[in-house]
Structure formats: structure tokens, C-alpha cells
Amino acid sequence: MRRSLPLLLLALAACDRPDARAGSDRAAAPDTARDLRGEVPMEFVSHVAITPAGTLWLVGALDQRYTADSITGDWRPAPGTPAEPPEVDWEDPAHQFDFDAQFRLPRPERVDFFDGDTAFGSGRLNAGNLDLHDAIYRTTDGGRTWQPVSFGDDAWIYTVFVGRGGQAWMGGSSGRLHHTRDYARTWTHLSTPFDDRTRLKAIHVEPDGFAIAGALGNAIKLTTDGGRTWRAVPTPRDQRAGPLQPEEGEDGWTEAVAVVGGRLLALQDGSLFHSAREPVRWQHVPGVAVLVRDPWTGDLYGLDAERRPLRIHPDLRVERLSDEPLHARPRHLAAHRGTLYALDEDEGLFAFRPGRRVYTRPVTSAHRVRRVDRARHDGSRLWGATAHHVYGSDDGGRTWHRLAMLPFPAAGLALAPPDEALLWDGRGAAVRVARGGRRARPVETLRGWDVVGVIQTDTAWYAYGGRRHEAAERTDAGQTFYGGGTGGTRPHGFLLASRDRGRTWSRVDEWAEGGAAAVFVHPTGQVTLFSYLGGVRRLEPADGGFRARNVLLPTDGNARRMPYVQVPTALHFDAGGRAGFVDGTVHNGVPRRFRTADGGATWRQEEPPQLYVGMVSVPGGHAAWTRDAVRFLGPDAEREVFRLPADVGIPAPRISEVSAAPGGRLLVDVRDGRAYYLVDPAAGTSRRLR
């Protein structure tokens, strides 16, 4: 059987009572000012299931299962799930080739309930080895225990339709249709409406036995006997019924089907169509890009092309539930008794009713925050951030308490000691969080600027970014592996400045020929911009502002002189601004270093013993680090100021990040929070915090 799968977007979500004002984001406030609850691991969550009584389940492909009474509630491990799931350390050599640890089995990607006790899990499952996919997992005690049930087919399950009286239909990669009458205890192979090339993607079954099924290949079929025999009908693409715009690699995907008011509905290649049962003549339903059915009421919901939530009425009138869209592409959608739920690729949970919107990122009291992705020291305490929350720590990172939930996945963090932090998403949004504020407040002067990084100096803060879509010019620094990754991208590079520690910003420069991938602030006040294609631009102080000139542009004639580093990790120049180097990687991860002796007009590649993987501005110079050491880079000299001790006490130790702390000190983060060191370069001392 062919095993290559297209990326699938949709799944299910759950029941809640949205209580936010229209157009606003609202999350459950922490129970106390020091909320110690941990985050539910959402990276592999693919499904939000619901029991008839309204209990919500988060289901993940790595065997995560959490439940809650509402999306803003406290998510607790589902029955039979460990309170704190084991964490595999992929950088520990003992696990690097542990295939079973990386792909723990079983791993149902969705759960469908018949009642509060009986449900079954399906998806890309395995029945005990890496070659067979012929089982679902069934529970009759509310999820406390699960038993494998063979359904007699080597297939991944893409679609499930639960009917009345313990009936359900399912199918997937083999194109076959399977049916149960006894609450998933046994399964019957009814028919094979499609094959393993076209694949069964969507099905809807009516109580009288009429059903419609759609395939990933351009095919739709109907049955009148509950799925035993089928007849092919034309698809919307066959009839050229509307604005079909398949994505690259798609071939007439039928992503969803339904029957409402006696009419057929089919969502093909991102557009919705309707037809009478006979004859089949598809007509376009404008404005609907995603379709989902409420299994309890039969009501239809969806999203438009801008990811805004919709209700599709039986007369096919489309009602927008909110003007606020999802933050990113949908990972899973569903509806339950008047509410539309969504899980997006930014791992946010949404609930929509007419004029109401609730947004949150799930937390659990079952465990505390293990580690943060980035940490900063404000002189007395630690701040930290994951992709979704901001934290504080008063004991050197041993325990963290939540300060605020973020409205976006954080790409960077800068402190304005002693009480505030600036965070940005790299896609046109930024917020400030006060230590005791518990709310993230937008920074309006950064709205729309896709900030890549922020440099803090004694006289000003500088933010830079822009033009991250240069794929047609050989590189693409905006390569994305998650939904919504290029939102807010500007068509030009830019440099912004703030004189009030990040509260307000003004434009300093726009660079039409390149995006600012790295910036170096010279001691003389000059600023050098480095583009994703290796372009160099120099800003000279002049009349209270800057005068800009392009030193090197990426053209065919300059190809031999270009320092092609797609992801620069360290950019540095000497006191005169002539001699310098850039370290970084290209798109396939290969590290490179280039040196210049003429201010960036020409470059030559060299092979250093070890490249710098990061650099931060500090008083009097810069701190650059490798995986095991930190060096101070002054205008004319370099010296080592810290090296990882031999007895760190954690597997495969490496320096994740170095940040500046008050008093000229450095905070060294080892393995994303497994250890912290506070380094004083001037005194030549270091102290372990955790």
C-alpha cells in the first residue's frame, strides 16, 4: 500500500459556553496570582473529542489525553493517562536511535464517543508492529482502559461517522468502508467505494441508508443501501461548478460531505458546493472554505477563506459568527450544540457562538511548568517565556509561575527592567507584559512589523526584520512548517528604533532590496544590516537620523562576493567597521562563516573550528557562544568568559541561549532550562542558579 500521505488539516473540537464579548479574546484567569499550573503539551494534539454529557477531550498522536469541562477550564489527564507523561530527551544519545520511544504505540489521533463510557480511538494506528495498521482501540469504562480491536484492513483511518444505536462507519487510506453495529466491538467490511490511490476521505450516512462519500482523488459516490453498493456521480471539478483552486499536490480533494434538507453538500479543494440528489448538478456556495457537521444536531458550521467562523443554515444561508479569525490555519474543527470549536496550528483553542469568541491555551494542575523556551534575568529574578505564556521565577528557575497568556506564539523576548517584558511573534504583532499585570497589552507602534529580532543598547533599542519571502531570489528565510507562519510579512526590510525601552517605536530605515536578517550596532553609532541573501547595508548617523547606502547587493554579477548565509547567527565588525565576519547556516542546515576586510563589500568563506550559534549585545561589546563556551567580542579583541563545566549533570549538555543581564552580567541557559548560570565577565566568575 502506498504510505505517503498528504498533510491533513481538519479534525474535531468540543463543547463550551463562550462568555466573552464580541470580538475579544478572553481566557480563564489564574486561580491565584501565582498560577503554577503547567501547559498541556499541544504539539501533537490533533483532535478534541466530546462526550454526550459535554466533557472535552484533547487527543494527541503521542498518546496524550486530557479532559476538561470547558476549554478555559483546568485540563486534567484523562482516566488511564499518566499525570505527567514521560518526556523523551532526543539529544540524549541513549534515545537518538530508539525508534519505539519516538513512535510510541498505540497513538490514536481521534476519539469518537457513543456515550459517556464507550468510545473508540482511530487514526494512523499500529496493531503491535510497524507494518500493520489493522486496529482501532476501544474503551467501555470512560477511557480508563483500552483494548485493540481488529477491523480487518491495513489502513489509516481518515473519516468516522457515528450514527444511532451503536452504529459507526469509517474508512481511510485503503479506500474501504467499515461498519459496526455493536459500539465498535466488531467490524464488517461493507464495500470498497475507492482504492488506495483515491482513498476514502469523507462520509455522511442518513438514517434511511442513503450516504455520500468523497475521496482524496477527484471522486464522489452515492449509496442507497447503507454503503453496500455505490454509484459514481460527477464532482464539482468535473462539472466546472465554481472557483476550484487546488493547492499544490492536491487532485480534487473532497474534504467534507454532508446532507442537509435533502440536498448534497461537498467541500472540494477549499470551496463548498450543493446539489439535489438527482440529478447531480453542483452549484457554488460562496464564502465557505471549511465545513464541519455537529454530530448531535446535524447543524453545519465552517470557516471562510480568512479563517473566520461561519454557520451554514439549512437553506444554505451563511452566517458569520465572529469577525475575528483563527490565528492560524485550522488543525481541527467541530461543532457541538450551537458552538463551533477550533484548534489551530498555533495550538490555540477557540469557541464561537454568534457574536461571541473565547480563546485560550490549555493548562493543567496535574504538573507544573517543566522548562521555558527562553529565559532572562532582570537583576534579581528570572523571566521566562514559552510559545504561549510568560512566566516568572523567584528561585533561579526551579519553579515558574504564570504571568500572562500570549495571543500568539512568541518568537522573542526582551526585558525592560524591573517590571516589564516585550514579546513579539515575527509576524506583525507584539505585546508588553507587566510583572504583576497578568495581561498582554499590544504595542501599537509595532503592529504589522514582522520583527525578527531586537537589539538593546544603552542609548536605543533597535527592531529589525521584513522581506522574508525571497524564494524566487534563491532563498526563503520565511520557510514555514506551521500554519500562519508568514502573516504580517512586509515587502521590504526595515529598522525601527525606540528611545523609551520598547514602549513606542519609529521607523529608521526601509530596505527595498533585502530583508534584515541580522543587525550590528557599531560603537560609533553606525548600523549594519545583513540580508537573507547576503546583502549588506550601512546606516551612518546624520542630522539626528541616518543616511543609508547599500554596500553589497545580491546580483548575478556579485555572486562570487556574496556571503550566502540564510540564517545568520552572529554578525560582528571591529572598531573601524572594516574587518568582520558572519556565521550562520543555509537552508539545509550546513554551517558557514564568511569574513570581510572592506566593510562588507567583499567576503571570503573560511572553515573555523567551531561557529558561533548566537550573539547578544552587552556593555562594551558582544557575547557570542558556541555549544559549550561563551566569548566576549570587543571592538578589537576576543576572550573566553565561560565554558560549560564537565559536571553539569545533564545528558548531552549544550548552551541554548545567552542573554544580557543588568550589571554587565550574562545569563547562560543550558538545554532550554535544564540549568542556568549567571556569569560576570569582568570578574571572571559564574554561579549556577539551577
Side-chain angles (χ1 to χ4, degrees):
M1 176 189 296
R2 187 176 62 177
R3 290 294 185 205
S4 60
L5 287 179
L7 291 177
L8 304 179
L9 293 179
L10 299 181
L12 182 61
C15 174
D16 195 14
R17 292 186 178 273
D19 57 356
R21 291 187 297 271
S24 66
D25 282 350
R26 175 174 175 150
D31 296 332
T32 69
R34 297 178 65 82
D35 184 1
L36 300 177
R37 290 178 295 173
E39 298 180 34
V40 174
M42 297 290 291
E43 181 179 3
F44 295 101
V45 169
S46 56
H47 191 82
V48 183
I50 184 168
T51 69
T55 302
L56 311 180
W57 283 52
L58 289 175
V59 181
L62 290 185
D63 214 19
Q64 305 111 311
R65 290 187 294 274
Y66 286 82
T67 68
D69 297 324
S70 70
I71 66 168
T72 55
D74 182 42
W75 289 85
R76 54 199 178 273
T81 303
E84 192 162 355
E87 184 177 8
V88 179
D89 185 353
W90 302 124
E91 297 198 37
D92 184 346
H95 293 299
Q96 287 181 1
F97 300 100
D98 189 346
F99 193 81
D100 287 335
Q102 297 183 50
F103 299 94
R104 288 179 288 140
L105 305 173
R107 53 183 193 276
E109 295 175 303
R110 63 177 294 158
V111 171
D112 290 275
F113 283 91
F114 292 103
D115 54 43
D117 294 322
T118 306
F120 66 98
S122 62
R124 289 176 285 186
L125 285 174
N126 184 285
N129 60 61
L130 298 175
D131 298 318
L132 298 177
H133 304 267
D134 63 352
I136 54 94
Y137 284 82
R138 180 174 182 264
T139 181
T140 57
D141 54 13
R144 290 176 178 81
T145 60
W146 297 81
Q147 297 79 37
V149 175
S150 174
F151 59 92
D153 189 7
D154 180 16
W156 288 339
I157 299 303
Y158 298 164
T159 183
V160 171
F161 188 93
V162 176
R164 300 173 182 174
Q167 293 193 87
W169 294 259
M170 68 180 187
S173 60
S174 68
R176 297 178 179 180
L177 179 64
H178 303 277
H179 178 233
T180 180
R181 293 181 178 274
D182 54 10
Y183 298 87
R185 182 181 294 108
T186 60
W187 292 84
T188 300
H189 169 218
L190 285 180
S191 58
T192 306
F194 306 109
D195 57 25
D196 63 0
R197 182 185 64 83
T198 53
R199 306 188 175 198
L200 177 57
K201 179 60 176 68
I203 188 168
H204 176 108
V205 183
E206 290 282 271
D208 63 0
F210 179 84
I212 178 173
L216 290 179
N218 180 37
I220 294 177
K221 292 186 177 182
L222 304 179
T223 180
T224 58
D225 56 13
R228 291 176 177 78
T229 61
W230 297 85
R231 67 181 179 93
V233 298
T235 68
R237 174 182 281 198
D238 293 337
Q239 295 182 343
R240 302 181 181 274
L244 290 164
Q245 297 178 343
E247 295 184 5
E248 182 179 356
E250 293 183 4
D251 184 22
W253 282 19
T254 306
E255 298 150 14
V257 294
V259 179
V260 58
R263 299 191 67 79
L264 308 177
L265 290 180
L267 188 83
Q268 188 175 33
D269 291 334
S271 295
L272 182 63
F273 301 87
H274 71 97
S275 170
R277 292 189 184 185
E278 190 68 38
V280 174
R281 292 279 186 265
W282 295 106
Q283 301 176 61
H284 184 223
V285 180
V288 181
V290 179
L291 179 69
V292 66
R293 176 181 175 270
D294 182 341
W296 311 104
T297 66
D299 295 334
L300 299 176
Y301 297 83
L303 301 175
D304 64 15
E306 284 71 44
R307 306 192 298 267
R308 292 173 297 195
L310 308 170
R311 165 82 186 276
I312 297 95
H313 292 270
D315 60 1
L316 302 183
R317 177 175 56 89
V318 177
E319 173 192 4
R320 186 182 298 170
L321 298 179
S322 171
D323 291 332
E324 296 292 325
L326 303 187
H327 293 166
R329 296 175 68 182
R331 182 182 294 181
H332 223 114
L333 286 182
H336 182 271
R337 303 193 186 283
T339 302
L340 173 67
Y341 290 82
L343 168 66
D344 73 3
E345 291 288 355
D346 278 352
E347 301 171 8
L349 276 177
F350 299 79
F352 298 99
R353 287 190 181 218
R356 294 183 175 183
R357 176 181 188 260
V358 176
Y359 162 73
T360 193
R361 296 182 182 275
V363 295
T364 177
S365 59
H367 60 79
R368 296 184 177 183
V369 176
R370 298 179 182 87
R371 291 185 303 277
V372 300
D373 298 328
R374 50 188 65 85
R376 303 288 185 267
H377 199 283
D378 67 7
S380 60
R381 301 162 299 186
L382 284 178
W383 291 68
T386 62
H388 309 314
H389 295 89
V390 184
Y391 296 92
S393 176
D394 300 319
D395 58 7
R398 293 175 181 84
T399 59
W400 295 92
H401 53 273
R402 183 173 294 100
L403 299 176
M405 185 185 76
L406 296 172
F408 50 65
L413 166 68
L415 292 191
D419 297 321
E420 287 197 323
L422 172 71
L423 299 103
W424 58 93
D425 69 346
R427 300 182 296 180
V431 296
R432 292 179 72 88
V433 175
R435 189 81 182 191
R438 296 167 62 185
R439 294 294 183 202
R441 294 173 285 110
V443 180
E444 295 299 331
T445 49
L446 283 181
R447 186 182 298 275
W449 297 97
D450 52 311
V451 174
V452 170
V454 172
I455 296 175
Q456 298 165 278
T457 72
D458 292 338
T459 57
W461 289 19
Y462 294 98
Y464 59 93
R467 196 167 181 182
R468 299 192 299 160
H469 59 284
E470 301 181 273
E473 300 176 66
R474 175 65 179 90
T475 189
D476 181 5
Q479 290 170 339
T480 57
F481 300 94
Y482 59 90
T486 55
T489 300
R490 293 235 165 184
H492 49 70
F494 64 83
L495 183 71
L496 310 177
S498 173
R499 306 290 177 179
D500 55 8
R501 301 197 305 172
R503 289 180 176 83
T504 60
W505 296 81
S506 60
R507 182 181 59 191
V508 171
D509 181 55
E510 290 188 2
W511 191 5
E513 295 86 1
V519 166
F520 184 82
V521 180
H522 299 255
T524 58
Q526 296 173 312
V527 181
T528 297
L529 279 60
F530 187 92
S531 84
Y532 296 107
L533 294 172
V536 180
R537 183 174 175 88
R538 185 68 55 83
L539 306 182
E540 305 279 352
D543 301 325
F546 288 92
R547 181 176 60 253
R549 64 183 179 90
N550 290 326
V551 177
L552 177 64
L553 291 179
T555 64
D556 290 341
N558 288 333
R560 294 181 179 275
R561 298 190 296 166
M562 299 304 301
Y564 179 52
V565 173
Q566 179 179 335
V567 182
T569 54
L571 175 67
H572 190 266
F573 288 89
D574 65 5
R578 301 284 293 172
F581 69 88
V582 61
D583 285 1
T585 61
V586 293
H587 59 278
N588 55 7
V590 175
R592 291 182 177 180
R593 170 174 285 181
F594 291 87
R595 281 198 179 273
T596 182
D598 55 12
T602 60
W603 301 75
R604 59 180 175 81
Q605 188 173 354
E606 67 176 30
E607 300 295 334
Q610 201 169 17
L611 271 71
Y612 292 121
V613 297
M615 190 175 82
V616 63
S617 177
V618 296
H622 297 79
W625 64 94
T626 62
R627 292 177 64 88
D628 57 6
V630 182
R631 298 182 65 82
F632 175 79
L633 309 182
D636 297 303
E638 298 184 14
R639 59 185 174 89
E640 185 174 294
V641 297
F642 176 79
R643 180 167 289 275
L644 273 180
D647 58 347
V648 176
I650 60 176
R654 62 166 175 79
I655 296 174
S656 300
E657 188 179 25
V658 176
S659 57
R665 295 177 297 177
L666 302 171
L667 180 68
V668 179
D669 182 346
V670 182
R671 291 295 308 279
D672 298 318
R674 288 176 172 86
Y676 297 114
Y677 290 86
L678 196 59
V679 177
D680 188 335
T685 60
S686 65
R687 175 168 60 95
R688 184 165 178 168
L689 301 180
R690 175 185 177 183

